[in-house]
Every structure is written in structure tokens, then in C-alpha cells.
Amino acid sequence: MNQANLIILVLFYSRHGATRKLAELIAQGVESVPGCDARLRTVPAVSTVTEATEPDVPDEGAPYVELDDLAECAGLAVGSPTRFGNMASAMKYFWDGTAAQWLSGALAGKPACVFTSTGSLHGGQESTLLSMMIPLFHHGLMVLGLPYTNPELMTTASGGTPYGASHWSGLDGKKTITEDEKRLAIALGRRLAETAVKLRAIA
Ligand SMILES: Cc1cc2nc3c(=O)[nH]c(=O)nc-3n(C[C@H](O)[C@H](O)[C@H](O)COP(=O)(O)O)c2cc1C
């Protein structure tokens, strides 16, 4: 009997597009694994101006994530631009609305990984990646990094870390994704999807 494809949720926030490009590469890695479909989803911006609102449906790009996406996915990649060495408030705000999923264990036992983009090379990629993992541990997700069997971890002169995929977008945000960053993002998506497939086989 044919099994339904596994859904791997690639959830990201991106203001200027750099983190979105990483999300698309991770989705490419996910879809390189037979039996896995990437589901790209984003979160709305938050504002200190309480009257400011976002449209119900984004004007372009990935749809907004729904809480059902968390229950339906077999694995989860989470990405955010670095903001003062941490995830953007839009992503944190999303997690703060997931108490019901935390209580029900909707994500417990599923594999996960993280990714980020920074304006400066030493502006907090690792701190953002590590702190983005914290709510994932609370949800019971099994967080994956990248092993040094990926040779690009030794050669990269920009982003790409053992804690997750990353990109150095430059102060003007215009640096293109390097070959090393690209390979590592695809490898992370592939590793996430392969792990979800292995976990299904032993469930
Ligand atoms: C409020 C704010 C805080 C930021 N903090 C950092 C930071 O701590 N370190 C850094 O390298 N870049 C920082 N940046 C730059 C962004 O991380 C960078 O431009 C990123 O690539 C944007 O991703 P995006 O194109 O997906 O929005 C900050 C940007 C903003 C607007």
C-alpha cells in the first residue's frame, strides 16, 4: 500500500528576502528525498503601532502558517533573520501562541532544524540559531544540526554552521548566497526529511 507523502514544514520570517532564499533551498533539500513534500509557510510581521495590521493573506510569497500545520507536519525547519543576535519578534510571537500545541504534544518526537540570515558576518548567526532551538526543545522536537561530513563547513567564508544553515546577506542585504551556503542549506533540508522518513519506518 502506498503511504502518503510526509509533509515537512519550512516555517520562516523574512523582511527583505534573504531568509526566504534559505527557506527555498531547505525546501529543495526536503523535496530531494522521495516521499517528502516541503510546505513553505511564513508568519505576519508585528508592529509596535497597535493599529497597524497585515492582510489576512500575504500579498505575495508563502501563505501564513496555521496551527494545523504543526499537527500535520512530520518535520519542521524554522528560520528567521537575526535581530540583535536573536530571532525576530514575529517568529517569537508565533511561538508564544502555541501553548495548546505544547500541551497536546503536537510536535513531540518530530525532527527539526533552524536557519538564519545576518547583515554582518559575526553579528550573531550562532546565537540566533541556538536561541531559536529553545522553544523547539520545549515542544519536544528533536533538533538536528549539520555534521562535519559536509565539507563546506570547513571551507565556508560566509554562512553555514554545525548549528544550522545561515547566510551573510551584507549590510545592504545584497550579497548572493554562496555555493557553500547553498550546499549546506540543501543538505540540512535533506537531512531533516531523511530523518522524518527513518522515524516513520520505526513508528
Ligand atoms: C532591528 C534589526 C536588528 C538586526 N540585528 C542584527 C544583528 O544583531 N546582527 C546582524 O548581523 N544583523 C542584524 N540585522 C540585519 C539582518 O539580520 C539581515 O539584514 C538579514 O539578512 C535580514 O534577513 P531578511 O532579508 O530575511 O529580512 C538586523 C536588522 C534589523 C532590522
Side-chain angles (χ1 to χ4, degrees), residues 16 28 46 50 64 70 72 75 80 84 87 113 125 128 136 146 155 157 159 167 172 181 184 186:
H16 301 292
Q28 191 180 320
V46 292
T50 52
Y64 291 135
L70 299 181
E72 288 168 14
S80 166
F84 303 116
M87 76 181 97
C113 64
Q125 292 184 2
T128 301
L136 307 189
L146 275 168
T155 56
H167 168 54
D172 61 1
E181 290 174 333
L184 289 165
I186 292 172

Side-chain angles (χ1 to χ4, degrees), residues 13-20 80-86 116-125 167-171 173:
Y13 176 67
S14 182
R15 191 74 178 172
H16 301 292
T19 314
R20 176 176 49 75
S80 166
T82 289
R83 294 273 168 92
F84 303 116
N86 211 317
T116 191
S117 174
T118 56
S120 56
L121 182 53
H122 301 291
Q125 292 184 2
H167 168 54
W168 173 28
S169 71
L171 290 183

Side-chain angles (χ1 to χ4, degrees), residues 28-203:
Q28 191 180 320
V30 166
E31 302 228 320
S32 72
V33 178
C36 290
D37 292 331
R39 184 182 283 181
L40 277 161
R41 292 291 183 269
T42 190
V43 294
V46 292
S47 171
T48 51
V49 181
T50 52
E51 290 79 13
T53 57
E54 290 282 331
D56 290 343
V57 176
D59 294 331
E60 56 178 347
Y64 291 135
V65 66
E66 294 179 13
L67 292 170
D68 281 349
D69 290 319
L70 299 181
E72 288 168 14
C73 74
L76 171 67
V78 180
S80 166
T82 289
R83 294 273 168 92
F84 303 116
N86 211 317
M87 76 181 97
S89 55
M91 184 57 74
K92 180 63 165 58
Y93 185 82
F94 169 75
W95 284 116
D96 287 358
T98 60
Q101 288 66 34
W102 166 67
L103 280 170
S104 70
L107 289 166
K110 297 179 183 180
C113 64
V114 291
F115 56 100
T116 191
S117 174
T118 56
S120 56
L121 182 53
H122 301 291
Q125 292 184 2
E126 281 98 338
S127 61
T128 301
L129 293 170
L130 290 168
S131 55
M132 253 196 303
M133 291 177 188
I134 294 172
L136 307 189
F137 285 123
H138 280 255
H139 271 282
L141 285 147
M142 300 195 293
V143 182
L144 303 170
L146 275 168
Y148 273 86
T149 45
N150 292 282
E152 298 84 6
L153 282 178
M154 290 301 241
T155 56
T156 182
S158 51
T161 83
Y163 313 106
S166 60
H167 168 54
W168 173 28
S169 71
L171 290 183
D172 61 1
K174 293 200 171 125
K175 276 184 187 293
T176 52
I177 294 198
T178 65
E179 200 53 37
D180 283 342
E181 290 174 333
K182 179 180 171 185
R183 287 202 186 138
L184 289 165
I186 292 172
L188 187 62
R190 189 166 48 241
R191 187 166 202 236
L192 177 66
E194 284 171 349
T195 304
V197 169
K198 285 177 191 163
L199 287 171
R200 174 163 71 177
I202 60 169

